[in-house]
Coordinates of all heavy atoms in Angstrom, one line a residue:
L13 N 88.5 28.6 50.0 CA 87.0 28.7 49.7 C 86.5 30.1 50.3 O 85.7 30.7 49.7 CB 86.3 27.6 50.3 CG 86.5 26.2 49.6 CD1 85.9 25.1 50.5 CD2 85.8 26.2 48.2
T14 N 87.1 30.5 51.4 CA 86.7 31.7 52.0 C 87.2 32.9 51.2 O 86.5 33.8 50.9 CB 87.2 31.8 53.5 OG1 86.7 30.8 54.2 CG2 86.9 33.2 54.1
K15 N 88.5 32.9 50.8 CA 89.1 34.0 50.1 C 88.4 34.2 48.7 O 88.3 35.3 48.3 CB 90.6 33.7 49.8 CG 91.5 33.9 51.0 CD 92.9 33.5 50.7 CE 93.8 33.5 51.9 NZ 95.2 33.0 51.5
T16 N 88.1 33.1 48.1 CA 87.5 33.2 46.7 C 86.0 33.4 46.7 O 85.4 33.7 45.7 CB 87.8 31.9 45.9 OG1 87.2 30.8 46.6 CG2 89.3 31.7 45.7
G17 N 85.4 33.2 47.9 CA 83.9 33.4 48.0 C 83.1 32.3 47.3 O 82.0 32.5 47.0
R18 N 83.8 31.2 47.1 CA 83.1 30.1 46.4 C 82.0 29.5 47.2 O 81.0 29.0 46.7 CB 84.1 29.0 46.0 CG 85.1 29.4 45.0 CD 84.6 29.8 43.6 NE 83.8 28.8 43.0 CZ 84.3 27.9 42.1 NH1 85.6 28.0 41.7 NH2 83.5 27.1 41.5
L19 N 82.2 29.5 48.6 CA 81.2 29.1 49.5 C 81.0 30.1 50.6 O 82.0 30.8 51.0 CB 81.5 27.7 50.1 CG 81.7 26.5 49.2 CD1 82.1 25.3 50.0 CD2 80.4 26.2 48.5
S20 N 79.8 30.2 51.1 CA 79.5 31.2 52.2 C 80.0 30.6 53.5 O 80.3 29.4 53.6 CB 78.0 31.5 52.3 OG 77.4 30.3 52.8
Q21 N 80.2 31.5 54.5 CA 80.6 31.0 55.8 C 79.6 30.0 56.3 O 80.0 29.0 56.9 CB 80.7 32.3 56.7 CG 81.3 32.0 58.0 CD 82.8 31.7 57.9 OE1 83.5 32.3 57.1 NE2 83.3 30.7 58.6
E22 N 78.4 30.2 56.1 CA 77.3 29.3 56.6 C 77.5 27.9 55.9 O 77.4 26.9 56.6 CB 76.0 29.9 56.3 CG 74.8 29.1 56.8 CD 73.5 29.8 56.6 OE1 73.3 31.0 57.0 OE2 72.6 29.2 55.9
Q23 N 77.7 27.9 54.6 CA 77.9 26.7 53.9 C 79.1 25.9 54.4 O 79.1 24.7 54.7 CB 78.1 26.9 52.4 CG 76.8 27.3 51.7 CD 77.1 27.6 50.2 OE1 77.9 28.5 50.0 NE2 76.3 27.0 49.3
L24 N 80.2 26.7 54.6 CA 81.5 26.0 55.1 C 81.3 25.5 56.5 O 81.7 24.3 56.8 CB 82.6 27.1 55.2 CG 83.3 27.3 53.9 CD1 84.2 28.5 54.0 CD2 84.1 26.1 53.5
D25 N 80.6 26.2 57.4 CA 80.3 25.7 58.7 C 79.5 24.4 58.7 O 79.8 23.4 59.4 CB 79.6 26.7 59.6 CG 80.5 27.9 59.9 OD1 81.7 27.8 59.8 OD2 79.9 29.0 60.3
G26 N 78.5 24.4 57.8 CA 77.7 23.2 57.6 C 78.5 22.0 57.1 O 78.3 20.9 57.6
F27 N 79.3 22.3 56.1 CA 80.2 21.2 55.6 C 81.1 20.7 56.6 O 81.4 19.5 56.7 CB 80.9 21.6 54.3 CG 80.1 21.7 53.1 CD1 80.0 22.8 52.3 CD2 79.3 20.6 52.7 CE1 79.2 22.9 51.2 CE2 78.5 20.7 51.6 CZ 78.4 21.8 50.8
E28 N 81.7 21.5 57.5 CA 82.6 21.1 58.5 C 81.8 20.2 59.6 O 82.4 19.2 60.0 CB 83.2 22.3 59.2 CG 84.3 22.9 58.4 CD 85.1 23.9 59.0 OE1 84.6 24.7 59.9 OE2 86.3 24.1 58.7
R29 N 80.6 20.6 59.9 CA 79.8 19.8 60.8 C 79.5 18.4 60.2 O 79.6 17.4 60.8 CB 78.5 20.5 61.1 CG 78.6 21.6 62.2 CD 77.3 22.1 62.7 NE 76.4 22.6 61.6 CZ 76.4 23.9 61.2 NH1 77.3 24.7 61.7 NH2 75.6 24.3 60.3
E30 N 79.1 18.4 58.9 CA 78.9 17.1 58.2 C 80.1 16.3 58.2 O 80.1 15.1 58.4 CB 78.5 17.4 56.7 CG 77.1 17.9 56.6 CD 76.7 18.2 55.1 OE1 77.3 17.5 54.2 OE2 75.9 19.1 54.9
A31 N 81.3 16.9 57.9 CA 82.5 16.2 57.8 C 82.9 15.5 59.2 O 83.3 14.4 59.2 CB 83.7 17.1 57.3
Q32 N 82.7 16.3 60.2 CA 83.0 15.8 61.5 C 82.1 14.7 61.9 O 82.5 13.6 62.4 CB 82.9 16.9 62.6 CG 83.4 16.6 63.9 CD 83.4 17.7 64.9 OE1 82.6 18.7 64.7 NE2 84.2 17.7 65.9
K33 N 80.8 14.8 61.6 CA 79.8 13.8 61.9 C 80.1 12.5 61.1 O 80.0 11.4 61.7 CB 78.4 14.3 61.6 CG 77.3 13.4 62.0 CD 76.0 14.0 61.7 CE 74.8 13.1 62.1 NZ 73.5 13.7 61.8
A34 N 80.5 12.6 59.9 CA 80.8 11.5 59.0 C 82.2 11.0 59.2 O 82.6 10.0 58.5 CB 80.5 11.8 57.6
Q35 N 83.0 11.7 60.0 CA 84.4 11.4 60.2 C 85.2 11.3 58.8 O 85.9 10.4 58.5 CB 84.6 10.1 60.9 CG 84.1 10.1 62.3 CD 84.5 8.9 63.1 OE1 84.6 7.8 62.6 NE2 84.7 9.1 64.4
E36 N 85.0 12.4 58.1 CA 85.6 12.6 56.8 C 86.2 14.0 56.7 O 86.1 14.8 57.6 CB 84.7 12.3 55.6 CG 83.5 13.3 55.6 CD 82.5 13.1 54.5 OE1 82.6 12.0 53.8 OE2 81.6 13.9 54.3
T37 N 86.9 14.2 55.6 CA 87.6 15.5 55.5 C 86.5 16.5 54.9 O 85.5 16.2 54.4 CB 88.7 15.4 54.5 OG1 88.2 15.0 53.2 CG2 89.8 14.5 55.0
L38 N 86.9 17.8 55.1 CA 86.1 18.9 54.5 C 86.1 18.7 53.0 O 85.0 18.9 52.4 CB 86.7 20.2 54.9 CG 86.0 21.5 54.3 CD1 84.6 21.6 54.7 CD2 86.8 22.7 54.6
F39 N 87.2 18.4 52.4 CA 87.3 18.1 51.0 C 86.2 17.1 50.5 O 85.5 17.3 49.6 CB 88.7 17.6 50.6 CG 89.0 17.5 49.2 CD1 89.7 18.5 48.5 CD2 88.5 16.4 48.4 CE1 89.9 18.4 47.1 CE2 88.8 16.3 47.1 CZ 89.5 17.3 46.4
A40 N 86.1 16.0 51.3 CA 85.2 14.9 50.9 C 83.8 15.4 51.1 O 82.9 15.1 50.2 CB 85.5 13.7 51.8
A41 N 83.5 16.2 52.1 CA 82.1 16.6 52.3 C 81.7 17.6 51.2 O 80.6 17.5 50.7 CB 82.0 17.3 53.7
V42 N 82.5 18.5 50.8 CA 82.2 19.5 49.8 C 82.1 18.7 48.4 O 81.1 19.0 47.7 CB 83.3 20.6 49.7 CG1 83.0 21.5 48.5 CG2 83.3 21.4 51.0
L43 N 83.0 17.8 48.2 CA 82.9 17.1 46.9 C 81.6 16.3 46.9 O 80.9 16.3 45.8 CB 84.1 16.1 46.9 CG 84.2 15.3 45.6 CD1 84.4 16.2 44.4 CD2 85.5 14.4 45.7
R44 N 81.2 15.6 47.9 CA 80.0 14.8 48.0 C 78.8 15.6 47.7 O 77.8 15.2 47.1 CB 79.9 14.1 49.3 CG 78.8 13.1 49.4 CD 78.9 12.2 50.7 NE 79.5 12.8 51.9 CZ 78.8 13.6 52.7 NH1 77.6 13.9 52.5 NH2 79.4 14.0 53.8
S45 N 78.8 16.9 48.1 CA 77.7 17.8 47.9 C 77.4 18.1 46.4 O 76.3 18.4 46.0 CB 77.9 19.1 48.6 OG 78.8 20.0 47.9
G46 N 78.5 18.0 45.6 CA 78.3 18.3 44.2 C 78.4 19.8 43.8 O 78.3 20.1 42.7
L47 N 78.6 20.6 44.8 CA 78.7 22.1 44.5 C 80.0 22.4 43.8 O 79.9 23.4 43.0 CB 78.6 22.9 45.8 CG 77.3 23.0 46.5 CD1 77.4 23.7 47.9 CD2 76.3 23.6 45.6
L48 N 81.0 21.7 44.1 CA 82.3 21.9 43.4 C 82.8 20.6 42.9 O 82.7 19.6 43.6 CB 83.3 22.6 44.3 CG 83.0 24.1 44.7 CD1 83.9 24.5 45.8 CD2 83.0 25.0 43.5
S49 N 83.5 20.6 41.8 CA 84.0 19.3 41.3 C 85.4 19.1 42.0 O 86.0 20.0 42.6 CB 84.3 19.4 39.8 OG 85.3 20.3 39.5
E50 N 85.9 17.8 41.8 CA 87.2 17.5 42.4 C 88.3 18.4 41.8 O 89.1 18.9 42.5 CB 87.5 16.0 42.1 CG 88.8 15.6 42.7 CD 89.1 14.1 42.5 OE1 88.6 13.5 41.6 OE2 89.8 13.6 43.4
K51 N 88.2 18.6 40.5 CA 89.2 19.5 39.8 C 89.1 20.9 40.4 O 90.2 21.5 40.6 CB 88.9 19.5 38.3 CG 89.9 20.3 37.5 CD 89.6 20.3 36.0 CE 90.5 21.2 35.3 NZ 90.2 21.1 33.8
E52 N 87.9 21.4 40.6 CA 87.8 22.8 41.1 C 88.4 22.9 42.5 O 89.2 23.8 42.9 CB 86.4 23.2 41.2 CG 85.8 23.5 39.8 CD 84.3 23.7 39.9 OE1 83.5 22.9 40.5 OE2 83.8 24.8 39.3
L53 N 88.1 21.9 43.3 CA 88.7 21.8 44.7 C 90.2 21.7 44.7 O 90.9 22.4 45.5 CB 88.0 20.7 45.5 CG 86.6 20.9 45.9 CD1 86.0 19.6 46.4 CD2 86.4 22.0 46.9

Side-chain angles (χ1 to χ4, degrees):
L13 291 166
T14 301
K15 286 178 189 175
T16 60
R18 297 297 300 266
L19 296 178
S20 69
Q21 190 67 43
E22 186 177 301
Q23 287 174 307
L24 277 169
D25 291 342
F27 284 128
E28 283 186 331
R29 282 191 299 275
E30 285 178 31
Q32 188 174 25
K33 187 176 179 179
Q35 294 187 330
E36 64 183 6
T37 62
L38 175 62
F39 187 99
V42 174
L43 182 60
R44 190 171 26 84
S45 77
L47 287 176
L48 295 168
S49 70
E50 182 177 29
K51 181 178 176 180
E52 290 172 308
L53 289 170

